[in-house]
Amino acid sequence: MSSALFMTVEGPGRQWISFDNMYGRNITGTKDWERYKVVLDVPEETDFITFGIMAYGEGEVWISAITFDETEDDPTADPLYANQPTNLDFSSEAK
């Protein structure tokens, strides 16, 4: 079994601005309580924030003490839509 937090930030017309589902950072196995976080930029034009937890396979996952705080931490996922074109010379590898 594995599980993951997810969060989406949506703007006008329900367009996704940013999204994180802990891809590559899934929670696996039996664990004592641990703190996990998702950090996304939330611009002023945000209309909706959706969040939750996903579980894959058999088992249980418990969630407690959800908070939303301002932070200086870097986002845990890349923005979905860049403000300008990027990697136009194809010098960076795809993520």
Side-chain angles (χ1 to χ4, degrees), residues 26-68:
N26 287 32
I27 305 161
T28 59
T30 301
K31 300 185 181 296
D32 288 330
W33 285 101
E34 291 187 36
R35 174 179 239 176
Y36 295 93
K37 66 181 179 178
V38 170
V39 178
L40 294 176
D41 288 329
V42 180
E44 285 190 33
E45 66 268 16
T46 298
D47 289 335
F48 298 96
I49 297 173
T50 306
F51 66 94
I53 192 158
M54 301 177 292
Y56 307 98
E58 295 183 21
E60 293 182 341
V61 59
W62 293 48
I63 190 168
S64 177
I66 299 168
T67 62
F68 289 87

Side-chain angles (χ1 to χ4, degrees), residues 4 7 9-10 21 23 27 32 41 45 64 67 70 85 88 90 94-95:
M7 181 171 149
V9 176
E10 300 174 41
N21 66 353
Y23 180 78
I27 305 161
D32 288 330
D41 288 329
E45 66 268 16
S64 177
T67 62
E70 270 189 63
L88 294 177
F90 300 100
K95 292 183 180 182

Side-chain angles (χ1 to χ4, degrees), residues 79-86:
L80 293 177
Y81 306 105
N83 291 333
Q84 58 190 14
T86 59

